Amino acid sequence: MEPQIHSGDVVLIDRRDTGVQVEGPHVVRFDGGLMVKLLQRRPGGLVRVTSINPLFDPFEIELGAEGTDFEVIGRVRW
């Protein structure tokens, strides 16, 4: 999420918001690692995962899909 959020920055996470009810920055666990990504709800239970950093391509993932190591930990408040 650079240049907005840098490695080692402190963020406040609302762990109650794991359903992507509000679009924007969230902390997610993906393939065993934690990262901050922009999430956007899409039709059919999909979520679009985007980074501000242009080095990372956006992708879509189905929340709760079996065999997928992806979890929304919470929404970034600041």
Side-chain angles (χ1 to χ4, degrees):
M1 292 291 291
E2 290 187 8
Q4 186 177 15
I5 299 173
H6 300 277
S7 180
D9 282 355
V10 175
V11 295
L12 177 68
I13 304 164
D14 184 348
R15 301 232 15 221
R16 298 171 296 177
D17 192 352
T18 60
V20 194
Q21 301 305 321
V22 176
E23 296 177 356
H26 288 70
V27 173
V28 298
R29 181 184 47 77
F30 183 60
D31 287 340
L34 294 176
M35 57 191 77
V36 177
K37 296 291 183 184
L38 298 174
L39 301 184
Q40 178 186 28
R41 292 178 68 94
R42 307 291 287 179
L46 296 176
V47 172
R48 182 171 175 84
V49 181
T50 309
S51 178
I52 292 173
N53 188 331
L55 296 176
F56 297 95
D57 293 331
F59 62 93
E60 290 188 350
I61 193 161
E62 184 179 349
L63 286 179
E66 192 171 321
T68 303
D69 184 19
F70 183 89
E71 178 186 12
V72 179
I73 303 299
R75 182 164 55 110
V76 175
R77 293 294 189 155
W78 60 263

